[in-house]
Structure formats: structure tokens, C-alpha cells
Amino acid sequence: MLRVLTCLTVEHDGRLVVLAVAICLLSCIVAISLFHRAQATRGRVQVIWLALDTATVSSGIWATHFVAMLAYNPGFGFSYDVFLTVLSLILAIGAASAGLSVALWGSFRWSAAMGGAIVGVGVSAMHYTGMAALEAPGRMVLAPDLVIASIVFGIVLGAAAFSMAKQHDDVRGTLFAALLLTLAILAVHFTGMASVTIVPDPTRVAEFLLMSPSSLAIAIAGVTASILGMSLVAAFADRQSEAKLRVQEAKLDTALQNMSQGLCMFDAQGHIILFNERYVKMMGVSDEFLLGRSLLDLFRHRKASGDFEGHPEEFYQRICAEMAAGKSGTKVMKNSKGRTLRVVDEPMAGGGWVATYEDITEICQAEAQISHMARHDPLTDLPNRRLFREQMEHALSSVRRNEQLAVLFFDLDHFKQVNDYFGHSVGDDLLKAVGQRLRECVRGTDTIARLGGDEFAVVQVGTHSQPTEAALLASRLVDVISAPYDLDDQRVVIGASVGVSIAPVDSSDPDQLMKNADMALYRAKADGRGTYRFFEPEMDARARARRLLELELRAALTNGEFELYFQSINDLHAHNIIGFEALVRWNHPTDGMIPLTRFLPLAEETGLIVPLGEWVLRKACSEAAGWSKDVRVAVNLSPAQFKSRNLATAVALALSASGLRPDRLELEITEVVLVHDSEATLHILRGLGVTISMDDFGTGYSSLSYLRSFPFDRIKIDPSFVHQLATREDSMAIVRAVTGLGKSLGITTTAGGVDTPEQLALLRLEGC
């Protein structure tokens, strides 16, 4: 050790020694950093980093040796053999390459130490080869003990340096490993230099290929500095890039783990590369299970768990084929928890693919709910008209040769009265109860639906005796629906009318079948309700005629085809005319006079009676304004007009436009009007000053409470009683009772439909 210190302090220039130490330390720091870069990469990039590290280590060792040799001053001049100098660099490169390769790629436990030891041997080989390149006027004698010590120092410290470098890649580990490698190089050099003794020998002659120490040292220092500088910049830039990459990886990992979707990446062979936590939960497996597995393994595991339909191998091969062809794929699957997942496979450049898994259970449930609501009645949960038609189309397409299909339309008799009397909540409960009875009444193969309001329908598939089966079902529907209902502490009784059409006898078109059943239903209602009727071809003809009549009726209002006739009202005691009743007639341009019984009910049903009644009112007032001032005009008001909010306004405008005194206008209403709580309207009309009479008294509801609750000006006895005065005692008794009632209440009594002198005499006798 004393010899080493003496050599270092006496025979060396301290400034150049410091330079050599600095070059050695810097090159070792760069070398260890490059080793870490190579350790963190794979493939060709790793080889590049290893080559750069080899150049750094070898040039650093070489530069340190010759700069230190420049600091050596034995007391005489010397130079260097070019061949041995270059050979020393080659030895350094070879040893560094071998040692770094073993340290980096060795798979045994002590590979890093072994690689460091090889580098230490290379340092020694390079040093003594470089020493042999020294040309001086004397012979070089080496001390064996120091030579052996220098080699041991290089091997031990080199092994320790790379063991530390492979285990620790942080800043502290890098600096400590670089310090150990620096000590290894310096210990080999200066211990080796201490072993040298040069014995003067004047007979030695210098070779031709020699280089001066200063020139060689400066050249080596410059080249080495350039290599070290570039390597250091590359290492620091790569470390900075790695730091940024780690930050990005941390952000990516955070994003992956917080995705609402599951994500899994596969290589070209279908092996799992990475996955997030959401994917693990969706698959119902553990992280450990997925590590190193393939998609096929996962399919087989799900198959074994009963969570996979089909053949895993076929499904796996199909996915791999799609990804290899660069085709994106979307599939829907169920996981082990019964959740619905949408899987989207996207191929990656270079092979493999990324699969994203989205839980769409709630979306599917919402879509199913929306689809159900779009095709079902919200109140009864029965199929609606749209779904009913789809199911009827399907049933028609599925009917075999010996089968027939029946379509039954029905609605509830007196349902409106239930709503009016008990309220809509009870009406809704009634519809629900009807829907439940329908489910219990029909077969599982039959289709039932609520078409809207109180209209329901059934599709029944049967054999060639379908009309009989349909009749039995229709009769059962009438009986079941007509049974009393106990709703909200109320007992409700309704009825049902049913219309039936048969396919393919009546039609094979869904729309036509529904239309035919609807016409049959209309016929059942016209025949008294509470029954069923089958479609008959003449029903269609009547329906078309009715539709044509409705169109012509609308046109008649526009074209002025209606005419007004007046029937006299006679005072039997004064023997004079006291008024006229306005009667509307339709003079059709081609058919002539249309009977009142033919168009008036249609006008009531379609609502055309309101504009027609307003025209009659205006026309009658206008005509009456030109009569004698004591003659009144009577106009009949329909129930539909009383429902109109514009009735009082229409009366006031007719009187104002014609100039007719209000007391000369008599409005005739039927008892049906009074059922609909029209007392307020009656009082408004009374306030206008017009006369109000009850028409057709004795028919309808004939409630005497109406005469008490509202003081009518006139009671008009229905003509049906007048026609039978001479032939039936009961008719005479009714006329006598009504006339007497009118006298007692101070109400004038009028009889309509007097056709014979005998009828006239009897009415005069009774004081009518």
C-alpha cells in the first residue's frame, strides 16, 4: 500500500491524476445509467443500449489509463507503441461487451457479479497491455504481488458494482455502483503502476510507429469526452423520457382502473396482455386467474361454470379470424351474474386486439320497458292496437289449411254512465277488472288486447268449426263481462256487445278483418246491445252507404240543400193558429227529399246536428220575424246542442240578427236533455226571455221531478199516445193525466200528431 501511495504522490502529476479520476467517475456514472436503460428495454432497443454502454465503459477505462499514464513521470522521456495501444482498446471493448452481456442477460443467480468480474478482468488486461505499449530507454520489471492484487481489486470491485447496478436502478443505486466501478478501474491502474520498476538500458532502440504521450493522451481524452458526453446526454434524455413515461403510465393506469367499461388487451395469439379491475369484476374471476391466460382459457372456464353457450373453440376461432382480417366486432353476452354486456373488439396494428366490455343491463331494461310500453296498454297491460295487429298478422301467417281465425271486437255497454256517475278512477278500475276477466276467460293461445277507451279485441285460432267456437267465446265474453263488479265499495253492472269476423272466409287482410269485426260490433249494438253478431257482407254495403250519406250530409250544409217547413200549432178553444213548429227537410239534388229518420240520427251521431240546429234556429227566427206579431215559432233542440257551450250565444245571436222578440221563440227540449244536468243552461235561456217546452212527454225518463225543478211553459204530449186515443183506453188515460197535471201546474199542454177529427174532438174534450 505504501508503494502505491509513493507512486501516486511522487511519480505522478497530481493535476492529471485528478483529471483521470474525473474522467473515470464520469464514464462510470454514464455506464451504469446506460446499463439501467438496457435493463428496462427489450429487443433491438436493448441491444443498442448495450452497445452504447460497451463503448462508454471501454472508452472510459482506456481514457482513464492513458490520462493517468500522462501523469506518470519516471524521470525520462517515453512514447507508446501504436499497435499495442490499439490492442489494449480492443481488449477493453471485448471484455466490456462480454461482461455487460452476462450481467444483463444471464439467467443464473450470480450473473450480474459474474459479468462485473469479467469487466474487472478486462480492465486488468487493458491496463497491462497498455503498460506493454510503453516505450522507454530501459526494461520494465513488474512486482508479482502488486500485479495479482490489482487483478483481484478489479474482479471484486467490478462484481460488486454490477451486482449493485442490477438490483437498484434509482439515483442512489446508480451513484454507488458507479463509485464501485470507478474504484475498480483506479485500483487496477495505480496498483499496477506501483508494481512497475524501469531498469535503464541504453541498448533499447525506439520503434518507428510511436506516438508521443501528450498527443496520445489529448486525442484519447477528446474522443472519450465526446463519447461520454453523447452517452450522458442520451442517458439523461432517456431517463427523463422514462420519468415522463412513468407519469403517463400512472395516468393511464388510473384512467383504466376508473373506467366504467371493462378493458382487456390480447396479443395476436389471444393471450391476455393487460386488463383493468372493471374487467375482472365483470368476468367474475380473480386477477391471478387472468395472468398468463388466453381468451380461450376464459371461454372454457365459463363453459365449465355453465356461463357459456356454444363451443368455446369455435367462438374463439371466429374472433381470432375477425381480428386477423382487421374487422371490428360487436357482440352481446351475459356474465355469471346475469348482467348484459356489450363487447366491442377492435384490432390493433401489428396483431392482437382490444376488447371493451360495457354493462348495458339498465339500458336493455329501459329499452325493453319502452318497447313494452309502446306495444301495451298502460292501464290494463294488455297488448295495444299496434301489437294486436302485429300478433294478428303473425297468427294469419301461421294458420294451417284446416284452421280458421276469428277476430272478436267488443266494447262495454253503458261504460260512459259509469264514468259520469262514479268517476274516472272507478272507470279505470273497471277496465282493469275487465282485462283480468279476459285473461281468465280466453285460452293461452288466444290474443287479447285493449284497443282504446272501452274497446277490446280477441284473436282466436281454431279448426274448420271456428264459427261455432267463436260464438261460444263471444257468448262467454258477454256473460263474464256482464257479471257485477265490486269496485271501491261500489257495485257496478255493465254489459258487452261483440262483433265477430272469420278468416279466411271474410278476409285474410288484418285491416279488413278488424274493419269487418267493427261493423259486426256496430250491428250488435244497433240490435239492442248485450249480444254478439257475425260479420255479413251486407254490413259492409250498409257501412259504405252510411259513410257516403255522412259525406253528402256534410256537403249539404255547405251547399244549402236543407229547407225549412212549418207545421201549425192550433188553439182548440179559440179556433186559431197561435204558432208554427219549424221542421227541417233535406232536399237532395239527385235523390230528392231524404227521410228525416234517415239523416237525423246520423247527424246526431256525427255531431253535425249542432251546426244544422244553429242554421234551423237562425232561419226560423228570420222567417218568424215577418209574421204576425202574435204568432210564435217553435224550434226543437237536440241533446247534442245542449252539450255545446255556444247554445245560449247562438240563441241570442239568432234573435238579435232577426229582430224577433224573445217571447215569440219557443225552444222544445226532450227529457233526455235533463239527464245531463243542464239546469244552468235552461236558466240562461230563460233569462233571454224565450219560452221553453218539454217535447215528447210520456216517453224517455218521464220524471215528474223535472216539472217541479224547472217551470216549463209548455208540455208536449208525444204523438204515440195521440194516435191511439180512439183505440186504447190506456192512451186516453195518459193524455187525460198529463192534461190535468198541466192545468194543476199552470202549464199549457200541447198534443202532436193529430191526424183525424175524432182525435181532435177527444183532445178538445180533455182541454188540451
Side-chain angles (χ1 to χ4, degrees):
M1 182 60 70
L2 183 61
R3 175 74 183 98
V4 174
L5 292 175
T6 301
C7 176
L8 183 61
T9 56
V10 175
E11 299 177 0
H12 288 76
D13 185 340
R15 292 170 298 176
L16 292 177
V17 169
V18 172
L19 177 60
V21 172
I23 291 174
C24 185
L25 180 61
L26 180 61
S27 63
C28 289
I29 292 174
V30 175
I32 298 301
S33 296
L34 294 177
F35 180 77
H36 288 154
R37 301 285 72 72
Q39 192 177 11
T41 56
R42 295 289 183 273
R44 191 173 68 174
V45 177
Q46 188 179 53
V47 175
I48 293 173
W49 282 115
L50 183 64
L52 188 59
D53 196 14
T54 299
T56 301
V57 171
S58 58
S59 63
I61 296 171
W62 200 48
T64 300
H65 172 80
F66 283 103
V67 171
M69 288 299 296
L70 183 63
Y72 181 60
N73 185 13
F76 50 80
F78 58 88
S79 58
Y80 295 92
D81 184 287
V82 174
F83 174 75
L84 292 177
T85 300
V86 173
L87 179 61
S88 66
L89 177 59
I90 293 173
L91 290 174
I93 293 173
S97 176
L100 289 173
S101 298
V102 172
L104 183 63
W105 292 328
S107 58
F108 52 93
R109 183 177 180 183
W110 302 102
S111 59
M114 179 65 74
I118 293 173
V119 172
V121 172
V123 172
S124 299
M126 181 270 150
H127 173 76
Y128 288 106
T129 303
M131 289 290 294
L134 182 66
E135 294 290 339
R139 289 180 293 104
M140 184 179 296
V141 180
L142 300 176
D145 57 337
L146 291 178
V147 171
I148 294 173
S150 67
I151 295 174
V152 172
F153 284 150
I155 293 173
V156 173
L157 291 174
F162 281 93
S163 294
M164 175 63 68
K166 193 162 188 179
Q167 295 176 10
H168 304 281
D169 62 351
D170 55 356
V171 175
R172 181 177 295 180
T174 299
L175 293 176
F176 191 59
L179 183 60
L180 288 174
L181 185 58
T182 300
L183 291 175
I185 297 171
L186 294 177
V188 169
H189 178 83
F190 288 109
T191 303
M193 289 300 296
S195 70
V196 174
T197 301
I198 299 178
V199 180
D201 185 358
T203 63
R204 290 182 63 83
V205 180
E207 299 290 340
F208 292 105
L209 294 175
L210 297 177
M211 180 181 289
S212 66
S214 59
S215 299
L216 180 62
I218 292 172
I220 292 174
V223 172
T224 304
S226 298
I227 294 175
L228 291 176
M230 289 187 294
S231 301
L232 187 61
V233 169
F236 284 162
D238 184 69
R239 181 175 289 275
Q240 188 175 16
S241 299
E242 183 182 7
K244 291 181 179 179
L245 182 60
R246 287 178 179 176
V247 172
Q248 292 297 327
E249 287 178 349
K251 292 180 179 178
L252 178 60
D253 186 64
T254 301
L256 286 175
Q257 299 307 327
N258 287 277
M259 285 176 61
S260 61
Q261 296 176 321
L263 183 141
C264 189
M265 184 180 293
F266 303 91
D267 62 16
Q269 288 71 43
H271 291 92
I272 297 174
I273 301 174
L274 64 85
F275 53 86
N276 63 2
E277 197 64 31
R278 181 67 173 157
Y279 176 78
V280 174
K281 292 180 179 179
M282 285 181 171
M283 293 299 101
V285 295
S286 63
D287 295 13
E288 293 76 13
F289 175 83
L290 293 174
L291 293 174
R293 297 296 185 99
S294 69
L295 182 60
L296 181 57
D297 294 333
L298 183 60
F299 286 164
R300 287 171 175 168
H301 173 75
R302 290 177 53 200
K303 182 70 173 181
S305 304
D307 187 31
F308 189 93
E309 296 181 359
H311 300 285
E313 290 77 11
E314 294 179 4
F315 194 64
Y316 172 75
Q317 291 297 333
R318 188 161 62 249
I319 293 177
C320 289
E322 289 177 355
M323 295 302 103
K327 298 179 180 178
S328 300
T330 302
K331 305 168 187 66
V332 176
M333 57 170 281
K334 292 273 189 179
N335 67 3
S336 57
K337 298 179 181 178
R339 306 289 292 179
T340 303
L341 306 179
R342 179 166 54 210
V343 185
V344 179
D345 295 316
E346 287 288 347
M348 297 188 300
W353 69 93
V354 176
T356 54
Y357 294 73
E358 182 181 4
D359 191 333
I360 58 172
T361 305
E362 283 73 21
I363 295 176
C364 291
Q365 290 174 348
E367 289 177 348
Q369 180 67 18
I370 293 172
S371 177
H372 182 85
M373 292 171 62
R375 286 173 164 79
H376 288 78
D377 170 51
L379 188 63
T380 62
D381 202 38
L382 293 174
N384 60 12
R385 184 181 293 272
R386 176 182 177 184
L387 180 57
F388 178 73
R389 192 184 186 284
E390 293 175 0
Q391 292 176 335
M392 185 163 57
E393 287 180 343
H394 177 72
L396 284 169
S397 64
S398 304
V399 170
R400 292 186 289 270
R401 182 174 298 177
N402 63 336
E403 290 182 332
Q404 291 183 330
L405 181 144
V407 179
L408 294 85
F409 269 30
F410 63 95
D411 63 10
L412 308 182
D413 298 334
H414 313 302
F415 177 72
K416 186 179 184 306
Q417 286 86 330
V418 174
N419 270 338
D420 292 343
Y421 188 80
F422 296 106
H424 287 279
S425 62
V426 174
D428 290 345
D429 291 340
L430 175 60
L431 292 173
K432 294 177 185 178
V434 170
Q436 184 58 39
R437 290 189 184 183
L438 282 176
R439 292 186 179 95
E440 299 170 355
C441 186
V442 302
R443 301 171 303 184
T445 56
D446 298 336
T447 299
I448 55 177
R450 181 189 176 206
L451 305 182
D454 64 332
E455 296 179 342
F456 294 83
V458 177
V459 170
Q460 182 192 47
V461 178
T463 62
H464 61 279
S465 60
Q466 177 60 38
T468 303
E469 297 177 10
L472 291 173
L473 177 58
S475 179
R476 187 163 65 251
L477 288 174
V478 172
D479 293 340
V480 169
I481 294 174
S482 300
Y485 298 82
D486 292 320
L487 306 171
D488 195 19
D489 298 329
Q490 302 286 345
R491 169 152 289 205
V492 178
V493 178
I494 57 171
S497 301
V498 183
V500 185
S501 62
I502 304 294
V505 176
D506 296 330
S507 177
S508 294
D509 178 68
D511 293 327
Q512 188 61 47
L513 281 171
M514 295 172 69
K515 179 181 177 183
N516 293 345
D518 194 38
M519 285 189 285
L521 170 61
Y522 184 81
R523 177 62 180 272
K525 294 172 73 69
D527 287 350
R529 304 176 183 267
T531 186
Y532 65 89
R533 290 290 182 268
F534 281 85
F535 170 76
E536 297 172 357
E538 57 268 21
M539 292 180 182
D540 193 20
R542 285 197 297 267
R544 286 197 297 269
R546 180 179 178 276
R547 177 59 179 165
L548 178 61
L549 184 63
E550 179 182 344
L551 294 175
E552 292 178 339
L553 185 60
R554 294 181 183 277
L557 278 169
T558 305
N559 299 334
E561 298 174 10
F562 289 101
E563 299 176 355
L564 210 58
Y565 289 78
F566 295 94
Q567 178 175 280
S568 63
I569 302 173
N570 300 277
D571 187 337
L572 296 184
H573 300 286
H575 303 285
N576 62 348
I577 296 174
I578 60 173
F580 290 91
E581 180 179 358
L583 304 175
V584 65
R585 295 292 182 266
W586 180 9
N587 190 0
H588 194 279
T590 58
D591 297 341
M593 287 294 181
I594 305 297
L596 192 67
T597 56
R598 183 180 171 194
F599 75 85
L600 203 58
L602 182 60
E604 285 273 4
E605 185 178 339
T606 58
L608 292 174
I609 193 67
V610 175
L612 178 59
E614 291 179 357
W615 177 84
V616 170
L617 183 63
R618 292 192 302 271
K619 184 68 173 176
C621 289
S622 176
E623 290 284 343
W627 300 342
S628 171
K629 294 183 179 180
D630 296 327
V631 178
R632 300 190 305 272
V633 62
V635 178
N636 192 285
L637 297 181
S638 71
Q641 284 180 273
F642 254 85
K643 292 180 183 178
S644 173
R645 298 179 180 179
N646 298 325
L647 175 59
T649 303
V651 173
L653 290 176
L655 291 172
S656 175
S658 63
L660 185 69
R661 292 199 323 267
D663 62 313
R664 293 181 59 195
L665 175 62
E666 180 176 322
L667 300 178
E668 297 182 354
I669 64 174
T670 62
E671 295 167 299
V672 177
V673 169
L674 301 175
V675 177
H676 298 286
D677 191 21
S678 302
E679 187 174 342
T681 304
L682 288 171
H683 281 291
I684 292 174
L685 294 176
R686 171 70 78 179
L688 294 175
V690 299
T691 302
I692 298 176
S693 64
M694 181 182 288
D695 194 12
D696 299 335
F697 189 77
T699 62
Y701 296 91
S702 298
S703 175
L704 297 179
S705 63
Y706 296 147
L707 300 179
R708 184 179 61 179
S709 61
F710 189 85
F712 289 95
D713 298 295
R714 187 183 303 276
I715 300 174
K716 188 175 181 181
I717 302 173
D718 189 72
S720 62
F721 300 110
V722 176
H723 292 163
Q724 299 175 347
L725 279 178
T727 59
R728 294 188 56 169
E729 291 291 335
D730 52 359
S731 294
M732 190 66 215
I734 291 173
V735 170
R736 184 178 295 118
V738 173
T739 304
L741 182 63
K743 290 179 180 179
S744 301
L745 295 175
I747 302 175
T748 303
T749 305
T750 300
V754 181
D755 296 328
T756 66
E758 187 178 7
Q759 294 170 355
L760 183 64
L762 290 173
L763 289 171
R764 180 181 287 113
L765 183 63
E766 293 299 328
C768 183

